Amino acid sequence: MNAVLDLWRCDLGEVPESVWARTGLEVLILAGNGLTTISPKIGDLRCLRTLDLGHNALTSVPGELGRLAALTDFLYLHHNRLAGLPESLGRLTRLRYLNISENSLTDLPRSIGTMHGLVELRAQHNRLTALPGTVGGLSRLRELWLRGNALQGLPHSTAGMTQLRHLDLRENALTEIPQPLAGLPLLRHLDLRANQVTKLPGWLASMPSLEKLDLRWNPVEPAPRLLHDLEQRGCVVLA
């Protein structure tokens, strides 16, 4: 049996029942089909490594997603109308890539902190005002994309994301650079464009791996001494 089923842009409207019977599937692509619901039977596809539900009209996804223990590669839920995510998503502890961008999410489930396998999380253009305190459990995360939300800060546990290399915080509501970032040893690129940052902390110059700091379109004037110290360390500052 073919382990890949690609139904991208097939104008399905709803998923045929025959799909849920293909329990040996490893890759299922249902993007761009105008789907409004997903059957709980999706939990029977225990061999799935990749699932693409992007570019549909889903307002929710079933908790049975948490039963997909083999889901290790990619989970695409972007460009839907999701207002929330099930706590059962936290059972996907081996998943490496999660895209939940372009939805209507106001918060993330606390269980997201148990998704220890994540190396990239994309949550751009939602309605997030805060992240759960559990996010520090994402100790393998390398890229975190949060552009276009309403974040006013980051939880203290963010300091636990010790593998983080890229952090995109563009177009949020930050008035200062979140202090938990100070101890991140591998953070290379920090994008803070179009926030409301008015002052910069001195500890920025002590971040050991910072290579690019983007402060454009913020009401801040970096102190010359701080700029000098950052540039001496090889960090490009855009302000």
Side-chain angles (χ1 to χ4, degrees):
M1 181 183 293
N2 195 331
V4 177
L5 181 58
D6 185 351
L7 296 173
W8 180 61
R9 286 189 176 178
C10 288
D11 296 321
L12 296 177
E14 60 183 32
V15 183
E17 283 294 312
S18 59
V19 171
W20 311 129
R22 297 183 60 174
T23 54
L25 282 176
E26 296 180 12
V27 176
L28 176 57
I29 300 173
L30 291 167
N33 279 295
L35 304 176
T36 57
T37 60
I38 293 294
S39 169
K41 293 178 182 178
I42 197 170
D44 296 334
L45 305 183
R46 301 294 185 89
C47 297
L48 278 186
R49 294 182 293 104
T50 289
L51 174 61
D52 189 349
L53 296 173
H55 292 276
N56 281 295
L58 300 172
T59 57
S60 64
V61 290
E64 283 75 8
L65 279 183
R67 293 168 53 190
L68 302 178
L71 204 61
T72 55
D73 296 350
F74 304 96
L75 175 55
Y76 298 97
L77 297 172
H78 59 297
H79 286 85
N80 276 285
R81 301 172 185 171
L82 299 175
L85 296 170
E87 287 288 339
S88 61
L89 210 63
R91 298 179 195 163
L92 304 179
T93 57
R94 299 163 60 200
L95 184 67
R96 291 169 54 82
Y97 175 98
L98 175 60
N99 191 340
I100 51 176
S101 61
E102 307 288 346
N103 279 290
S104 300
L105 300 171
T106 56
D107 54 31
L108 299 180
R110 287 185 52 79
S111 62
I112 202 165
T114 64
M115 300 179 74
H116 305 303
L118 282 181
V119 296
E120 184 168 341
L121 173 58
R122 290 180 172 265
Q124 310 101 296
H125 297 292
N126 279 284
R127 300 174 184 173
L128 302 174
T129 57
L131 299 182
T134 56
V135 295
L138 303 179
S139 58
R140 297 180 186 174
L141 199 68
R142 292 188 174 213
E143 298 184 24
L144 179 56
W145 301 77
L146 293 166
R147 176 182 183 178
N149 282 285
L151 297 172
Q152 299 179 19
L154 295 176
H156 294 301
S157 67
T158 306
M161 295 182 181
T162 54
Q163 294 298 309
L164 199 63
R165 268 81 162 171
H166 180 97
L167 178 56
D168 186 350
L169 289 166
R170 280 180 287 177
E171 299 166 15
N172 277 281
L174 299 170
T175 57
E176 59 184 12
I177 298 181
Q179 196 280 332
L181 303 181
L184 296 183
L186 301 178
L187 189 63
R188 297 173 183 168
H189 184 191
L190 178 56
D191 195 338
L192 290 158
R193 278 178 282 177
N195 275 275
Q196 301 166 28
V197 175
T198 57
K199 60 182 180 179
L200 301 178
W203 50 257
L204 278 173
S206 301
M207 297 185 72
S209 300
L210 196 62
E211 297 176 355
K212 183 178 180 181
L213 174 62
D214 201 333
L215 296 165
R216 286 175 287 176
W217 311 305
N218 279 281
V220 65
E221 187 70 35
R225 178 60 184 270
L226 179 59
L227 278 177
H228 176 268
D229 290 347
L230 284 166
E231 290 171 356
Q232 283 292 107
R233 293 181 50 257
C235 179
V236 173
V237 180
L238 302 176

